[in-house]
Amino acid sequence: SYSWKVNAIYLAIRLIAEDKELVDSISNNIWINLVPHMVDCPSFDDRKSRCVLFELAYQKAPEAAKSYLLRLIDSENERFGNIHFIDYLKDCWNADLTSLIIDKINSLNLKPVSFRNIVEFLIDIGVTEVEDIIVKQITQNNLQREILIESVSLLLIYWGEKQWSLIWNLFQKQPELADEVLGNIVRNAEFTNNLSESHLGDIYSFMSERFPPEEDPKREGVHTVGTREMLADLRNAVLMKLVNKGTKEACDAIESLI
């Protein structure tokens, strides 16, 4: 939460930003001091207003804006373990800033959810090299377990078919890792939309071995749905995806499971 003083300063800057003549009359030294109020905005404001001030901060004090953006990322990562605020900057992101946050994911200092937030932000703004970064980090085999789980999860969600060979090799060699990855994306069954019929068959076969239907939790009355129960739902959703495709390749994949 923000103090009344911080909110008041922010609202004052918003009003100033609407007057170009007034904006231009303020020296850059003053803008440098106002950068924290323009980059770290109160949560009550909308995306458009945040973008106006972020763009103004970068225009008037680019180095200060860069520095404070990185400090804010580090602070949010350390305090909350996520970096949701960056989503508000998608519509006003400056390409010159991209290398700064690529450095963040390469530093391996981010917590798992923060890592995912940054990677998905880069994907959303069309930074194609993020795929190569994720692949390189996985293949170098120097990631902390939690970040490895996030990295493989992201690979499966966004580039599952293209990077299937790498993913499937990991699943075969490290089934416990595969279990954790599937548990991590259990609420995101949309990843199945990007997989071919044969690879859907592979996933279903793997999940049937790791999470056999006969061992599924019994569902009785109102209860909290646990991860194992959600994995059973995901396994079944993969099979239904195959059935609903209705292609020859899908029929072949299903036949191979019998």
Side-chain angles (χ1 to χ4, degrees), residues 205-236:
S205 176
F206 179 86
M207 293 191 72
S208 294
E209 290 181 10
R210 301 294 294 178
F211 315 108
E214 61 271 17
E215 296 179 10
D216 288 352
K218 292 183 179 180
R219 309 186 186 208
E220 298 177 350
V222 178
H223 64 285
T224 301
V225 179
T227 301
R228 178 60 179 80
E229 191 171 335
M230 288 189 284
L231 283 165
D233 289 339
L234 177 60
R235 182 200 63 222
N236 296 338

Side-chain angles (χ1 to χ4, degrees), residues 32-44:
I32 289 173
N33 292 328
L34 294 175
V35 160
H37 302 281
M38 303 165 75
V39 177
D40 185 10
C41 301
S43 58
F44 62 75

Side-chain angles (χ1 to χ4, degrees), residues 10 13-14 17 34-41 47-62 64-70 72-73 85-86 88-98 100-101 121:
Y10 172 72
I13 299 171
R14 272 192 59 185
L34 294 175
V35 160
H37 302 281
M38 303 165 75
V39 177
D40 185 10
C41 301
R47 185 186 300 266
K48 183 178 179 181
S49 297
R50 288 180 175 218
C51 270
V52 167
L53 292 198
F54 182 74
E55 287 179 317
L56 182 57
Y58 193 67
Q59 174 192 343
K60 293 296 183 179
K66 287 180 184 179
S67 177
Y68 193 80
L69 175 66
L70 293 177
L72 187 57
I73 288 174
F85 83 88
I86 203 168
Y88 288 95
L89 307 179
K90 284 178 184 176
D91 298 332
C92 52
W93 189 253
N94 190 301
D96 293 341
L97 297 170
T98 300
L100 297 179
I101 60 171
F121 175 80

Side-chain angles (χ1 to χ4, degrees), residues 166-231:
L166 173 58
I167 295 167
W168 191 236
N169 185 52
L170 285 168
F171 276 30
Q172 295 295 292
K173 290 184 176 179
Q174 303 182 53
E176 293 80 10
L177 171 64
D179 294 349
E180 293 179 273
V181 168
L182 292 168
N184 193 42
I185 64 171
V186 73
R187 292 184 176 86
N188 196 347
E190 288 80 7
F191 79 89
T192 59
N193 296 332
N194 303 319
L195 293 177
S196 67
E197 289 89 342
S198 64
H199 297 154
L200 286 170
D202 289 339
I203 286 281
Y204 179 78
S205 176
F206 179 86
M207 293 191 72
S208 294
E209 290 181 10
R210 301 294 294 178
F211 315 108
E214 61 271 17
E215 296 179 10
D216 288 352
K218 292 183 179 180
R219 309 186 186 208
E220 298 177 350
V222 178
H223 64 285
T224 301
V225 179
T227 301
R228 178 60 179 80
E229 191 171 335
M230 288 189 284
L231 283 165

Side-chain angles (χ1 to χ4, degrees), residues 18-185:
E18 296 173 3
D19 188 330
K20 187 178 185 304
E21 187 175 338
L22 182 56
V23 166
D24 291 339
S25 71
I26 298 173
S27 71
N28 286 348
N29 286 337
I30 293 177
W31 285 117
I32 289 173
N33 292 328
L34 294 175
V35 160
H37 302 281
M38 303 165 75
V39 177
D40 185 10
C41 301
S43 58
F44 62 75
D45 218 344
D46 59 273
R47 185 186 300 266
K48 183 178 179 181
S49 297
R50 288 180 175 218
C51 270
V52 167
L53 292 198
F54 182 74
E55 287 179 317
L56 182 57
Y58 193 67
Q59 174 192 343
K60 293 296 183 179
E63 293 307 314
K66 287 180 184 179
S67 177
Y68 193 80
L69 175 66
L70 293 177
R71 285 172 54 195
L72 187 57
I73 288 174
D74 289 341
S75 174
E76 298 281 294
N77 176 59
E78 195 60 38
R79 292 167 62 204
F80 307 119
N82 63 64
I83 308 172
H84 292 315
F85 83 88
I86 203 168
D87 282 341
Y88 288 95
L89 307 179
K90 284 178 184 176
D91 298 332
C92 52
W93 189 253
N94 190 301
D96 293 341
L97 297 170
T98 300
S99 63
L100 297 179
I101 60 171
I102 286 178
D103 288 344
K104 284 294 179 187
I105 61 174
N106 279 324
S107 72
L108 306 180
N109 292 326
L110 294 171
K111 295 180 180 179
V113 176
S114 297
F115 178 83
R116 186 200 321 149
N117 294 154
I118 293 289
V119 170
E120 292 189 322
F121 175 80
L122 290 168
I123 293 169
D124 288 345
I125 63 173
V127 179
T128 55
E129 61 258 43
V130 70
E131 177 187 354
D132 292 335
I133 292 170
I134 298 297
V135 169
K136 182 178 179 181
Q137 289 182 344
I138 292 172
T139 54
Q140 285 181 340
N141 199 29
N142 62 347
L143 297 174
Q144 295 178 353
R145 184 74 173 188
E146 293 80 5
I147 298 296
L148 178 60
I149 293 166
E150 286 293 346
S151 295
V152 180
S153 298
L154 290 163
L155 209 62
L156 184 53
I157 291 169
Y158 292 101
W159 305 286
E161 187 63 23
K162 183 179 178 183
Q163 298 295 342
W164 181 253
S165 177
L166 173 58
I167 295 167
W168 191 236
N169 185 52
L170 285 168
F171 276 30
Q172 295 295 292
K173 290 184 176 179
Q174 303 182 53
E176 293 80 10
L177 171 64
D179 294 349
E180 293 179 273
V181 168
L182 292 168
N184 193 42
I185 64 171

